[in-house]
Amino acid sequence: MKKRVFQLLSAFALVCVSSPVVAFQASQPVASAPGTPPGLSMQETEAWIKRELRPMGSDQIVTRYKGTTWADKYEIESAALSECVLTIRQVDQHESRPADGTGYRLTNTSTITMKDVDVGKGLQALEDPASADSTQNKPGYQIEVLALSNRGDPFVRELETNGKGKIRRPTRQVFIRVGDQKMGNQAGEVFRRAAVLCVRRIGQTAWRG
């Protein structure tokens, strides 16, 4: 009888170890600290932004308005997250069709302090609609990044046209153009993760101090 009980207990233990449910639970990601949801680490977030964000910015929109046609070619020249500051350099190459000398190159460099980002608003790729009485060959999308309402204008935009002079402006709202809505929403989630990690890092630093 004792031998039979031992065999049954051994079989039950074997089933528990090999059960896919138990194995799945053991493989779940664990939050690195209370209050911080599982997800990418800071190092992984920085690497993702450097690797993935630049190709997402490639897009070309052709606009027609009252017999006039022009094209805007967009790209992200560089993107980096370092010390919880996101710096993105975007370029808009505007060309009239046919060329009449009115084209220009607009460079927009945005500096975003992630601790000031409102993770409850924006961070989605929204359609940038054509203006009234004009048509476009395809939809354009922009990720909206908003600052918390009590932070003033913590971000900075630096604008430069045709390489002549720079205009720096503080702002609480930044738009990042992307070529695809789904990819843009994915980037928004990575920005959200970065903001959460940066706030947590600041809290740990203050606690240690």
Side-chain angles (χ1 to χ4, degrees):
M1 179 66 179
K2 291 183 178 180
K3 183 177 180 180
R4 177 60 177 168
V5 171
F6 175 78
Q7 290 175 338
L8 290 173
L9 291 175
S10 298
F12 178 75
L14 180 61
V15 169
C16 289
V17 171
S18 60
S19 169
V21 175
V22 174
F24 173 78
Q25 291 176 343
S27 64
Q28 291 300 292
V30 179
S32 53
T36 303
L40 297 176
S41 67
M42 180 59 76
Q43 184 177 7
E44 290 170 334
T45 302
E46 292 174 349
W48 190 96
I49 288 174
K50 183 178 181 180
R51 180 183 67 250
E52 303 291 343
L53 194 59
R54 184 177 175 182
M56 286 185 181
S58 297
D59 196 16
Q60 180 166 312
I61 303 292
V62 178
T63 304
R64 294 178 178 84
Y65 174 72
K66 293 185 177 180
T68 302
T69 302
W70 65 88
D72 289 280
K73 184 179 180 180
Y74 300 96
E75 63 178 341
I76 294 177
E77 281 196 341
S78 62
L81 175 64
S82 177
E83 299 299 323
C84 286
V85 177
L86 176 61
T87 305
I88 300 177
R89 182 181 174 89
Q90 303 176 87
V91 173
D92 172 9
Q93 184 69 48
H94 179 89
E95 300 173 350
S96 58
R97 295 184 177 181
D100 61 1
T102 60
Y104 60 84
R105 176 184 171 90
L106 175 64
T107 302
N108 176 11
T109 303
S110 301
T111 304
I112 303 169
T113 46
M114 301 307 292
K115 66 180 179 63
D116 298 312
V117 171
D118 190 338
V119 298
K121 297 179 180 179
L123 300 179
Q124 292 181 325
L126 305 176
E127 184 173 347
D128 181 23
S131 59
D133 300 326
S134 65
T135 60
Q136 295 180 339
N137 66 319
K138 62 185 293 290
Y141 299 98
Q142 297 184 113
I143 306 170
E144 182 184 31
V145 183
L146 289 169
L148 291 162
S149 59
N150 62 347
R151 302 297 170 86
D153 296 327
F155 310 148
V156 176
R157 292 180 63 206
E158 184 177 272
L159 304 176
E160 182 178 3
T161 303
N162 293 334
K164 298 178 181 179
K166 296 180 179 179
I167 301 175
R168 289 175 59 88
R169 296 175 179 172
T171 182
R172 66 179 308 271
Q173 183 182 46
V174 169
F175 290 99
I176 303 166
R177 180 171 285 275
V178 291
D180 179 84
Q181 188 174 33
K182 183 177 179 180
M183 291 191 301
N185 287 334
Q186 182 184 7
E189 288 304 313
V190 174
F191 295 163
R192 195 188 316 277
R193 176 65 179 174
V196 169
L197 291 173
C198 288
V199 170
R200 173 183 158 233
R201 175 184 287 184
I202 292 172
Q204 289 180 333
T205 302
W207 181 78
R208 290 170 184 167

